[in-house]
Amino acid sequence: MIQLEPTVVILLVGSTVAASCALVGTFLVLRKMALLGDAISHAVLPGIVIAFLISGDRSTLPMVLGAAALGVLTVFLVEMGTRTKRLREDASIGVVFPALFAIGVILIAKYAGQIDLDLDCVLYGEIAYTPWDVLFFDGQNLGPKALWINVTILFLDLVFVLLVYKELKITTFDPELSAALGISPVLVHYALMSMLSVTVVGAFESVGAILVVAMLVVPPATAYLLTDQLSRMLLLSVVFGVGSALGGYYFARWLDASIAGAMATVAGLLFATVFLASPRHGLVAKLLRHRRLSLGMSEQLLLLHLDRETESSTLDTVRRRFSWRESYLGRIVRRLQGRGWIAVSDDGGVRLTADGSAAIERTGQDSLRHVVS
Amino acid sequence: MTPEPVLPIRPLADPESDREPALEIHDLTVAYHTQPVLWDIDLTLPEGQLIAIVGPNGAGKSTLLKAVLGLIKPVTGWVKICGASYRRRRSWVAYVPQRESVDWDFPTSALDVVLMGLYGNLGWFRRPKAAHREKALDCLDKVGIRDLADRQISQLSGGQQQRVFLARALAQDARIYFMDEPFAGVDVTTERAILALLQDLRATGRTVIAVHHDLQTVAEYFDHVVLLNMRLVASGPVQETFTDENLQRTYGGRLTVLTQATEDLLKARAQDPSLQHRGGRSPG
């Protein structure tokens, strides 16, 4: 077994966790169930503890199974709640997961002596220790345990998404059609939720519940702002997730702070950047689009106004007619002058040029005439 | 399975169940909690016709479709499609849900949505291939929006979205089409295109059972009408069934408001000829 540098181990664990979370998280976000990830990441706690108590050691498989069982139970209970039609999903989630989490906390407190499980570690995790928690098999050092677990989970998630991509897509987009076609949305839903539970619990031990939630929701949400294609959204989510993990590690070293915290922070910063700068759904693009539109409309209004009031228009009458600020009017006038559509005389008189009249005919914006009149 | 490279609408090949009605509903009762939504429906509908399901809001029209398609579990009763259970006839049936029933911001293209109509035939795990894509494109062509195949679905107008849904149903290549308000919220051009499509389906021996909300066009568009208001009020050929008396029984007091409005409009038209070319639509 080759010895990996601790840094490499941490980067690999962070990246695999981020990639697995991005894959399942994409479908959570699209199903408008992002908080279910949060709920499951907490509600699996009693499952882990019970698996501990039964198996008597910290072996991974019983823990994952226990967590997965509790994850599915969470989904089932949440759905029972929503089915009353009185509780919406958010309220139902809010009822179920604190209760389950609390049971887990009590179990830990009660059996604290027997359980080597630290609540802080569960919540916040400590990815920095993962290189030294190694797996032994037959006396052989097989390398860091967290790496084995998370690579396996990433592999399972990849196989799952590739295998039932089409089913995930149709049950997310149109569950009714899917049911009518014989592709059971319930079955797909529970399969996805099982994968979510397994992913969460694997990531849980290594990086903590908080980072898991960040990795489940933030990279897919970032990707959603950038693309209109599901396959590309999955890919971008993984890229953003892994990017946050790698960037976060070096950010943490620079800050000398919590690695998991820095990874979640980088994910948040990436989201904020995309939220502002995304070409189609970004805030800046929206503002610019709105501004362009309003400038264009104002230009047309001014042209049509001048077309009616051929003789008497001055900058001043126009400004009062439309209640435009001076600077705004100045911009519009400059733009129209630049195209040679209007002419402004020294005393402030404004008139339409021949080119301007032709432009009105061309754009055929006669429908706007009634606005001006 | 490779889809046959044929035009989306081909004549029905096998008249295997010719003598069976398209849809047979017996003693169907559906309830949400304790509140019945459909009460003891007995209904038999013929094949090869355009059939409208008409009734006031909350009459259970959509619920009826969903119960037939097994999306809602009825309290009592059974449904047969061409003489067998829905489960056995799944591949004979296509469903066009209401446009609002899905999230149009979902990251996918028009072509992808149409491809979903083929998922049932594909079965679990198998992915659509080039031949399926061709077929989906043909279906988009049939509804007149082949050029929008790669457009993200939120960038489509309401009418175009409705056409995508219809193309998806065409892709299912079914025998019976269930549609929930196919004409809702579309412009006149799209309404004509959809009607032409439904007539094409009928011409090839297919059956369309559609929830319809516009009483003005029922007689013009459909052959057969089902009047529903929790109970079945009437069902039969439009000429005999779509009568004032039956409408009164379906809509009860609510129709009087409607008739009042129609009468007012007629009076106004008689007095002001300029209103005439506008038909029943409000100006502006």
Side-chain angles (χ1 to χ4, degrees), chain A residues 5 7 21 34 98 152 161 183 194 200 212 237 241 260 286 309 325:
Chain A
E5 288 284 319
T7 303
C21 287
T152 311
V161 169
I183 297 173
S194 307
V200 162
V212 172
S237 301
K286 268 188 190 151
E309 320 267 324
R325 263 180 300 147

Side-chain angles (χ1 to χ4, degrees), chain B residues 9-12 46-51 170 174-175 177 179 194-208 218-224 238-239:
Chain B
I9 304 181
R10 61 184 166 81
L12 279 177
E47 257 208 285
Q49 299 203 352
L50 300 186
I51 300 163
L170 284 183
R175 196 180 174 109
Y177 289 79
M179 304 186 177
I194 294 175
L195 180 63
L197 188 71
L198 300 195
Q199 287 163 346
D200 281 1
L201 288 170
R202 177 179 56 190
T204 55
R206 289 170 167 82
T207 311
V208 176
V218 170
E220 184 190 339
Y221 292 179
F222 293 93
D223 311 315
H224 189 112
V238 169
Q239 300 86 343

Side-chain angles (χ1 to χ4, degrees), chain A residues 30 32 162 164-167 169-170 172-174 176-177 179-182 188 224 228-230 280, chain B residues 66 71 86 90 95 102-103 105-108 112 116 119 123-127 152-153 155 168 172:
Chain A
L30 288 176
K32 308 186 194 333
L162 288 176
V164 293
Y165 178 74
K166 163 176 128 257
E167 286 76 11
K169 188 168 174 175
I170 190 172
T172 305
F173 175 64
D174 194 344
E176 282 193 346
L177 176 81
L181 288 175
V188 176
Y224 196 15
D228 286 332
Q229 218 179 302
L230 179 57
R280 193 132 102 229
Chain B
K66 286 180 186 174
L71 299 173
Y86 175 72
R90 216 192 279 286
Y95 173 44
V102 303
D103 174 12
D105 280 320
F106 191 81
T108 196
D112 264 354
M116 287 181 194
Y119 283 10
W124 285 79
F125 309 123
R126 297 183 45 225
R127 300 281 194 90
Q152 203 268 329
I153 52 175
Q155 311 288 317
R168 185 175 73 176
Q172 286 182 250

Side-chain angles (χ1 to χ4, degrees), chain A residues 214 218 222 244 262-274:
Chain A
V218 183
T222 314
S244 311
M263 287 177 175
T265 306
V266 171
L269 288 175
L270 279 175
F271 177 84
T273 313
V274 170

Side-chain angles (χ1 to χ4, degrees), chain A residues 278-341:
Chain A
S278 161
R280 193 132 102 229
H281 305 288
L283 201 60
V284 174
K286 268 188 190 151
L287 284 176
L288 284 179
R289 230 181 359 250
H290 180 78
R291 217 157 123 181
R292 244 195 333 265
L293 195 66
S294 108
L295 267 177
M297 290 304 271
S298 303
E299 281 171 16
Q300 282 174 0
L301 283 176
L302 179 56
L303 286 177
L304 289 168
H305 176 74
L306 294 178
D307 193 36
R308 279 175 67 89
E309 320 267 324
T310 321
E311 300 304 321
S312 53
S313 289
T314 65
L315 287 177
D316 212 39
T317 59
V318 169
R319 193 171 58 80
R320 264 179 289 147
R321 166 65 183 82
F322 293 112
S323 331
W324 285 335
R325 263 180 300 147
E326 205 142 345
S327 56
Y328 189 72
L329 175 66
R331 270 190 79 177
I332 293 166
V333 167
R334 273 194 305 282
R335 284 165 66 106
L336 290 175
Q337 266 182 312
R339 267 173 266 165
W341 289 358

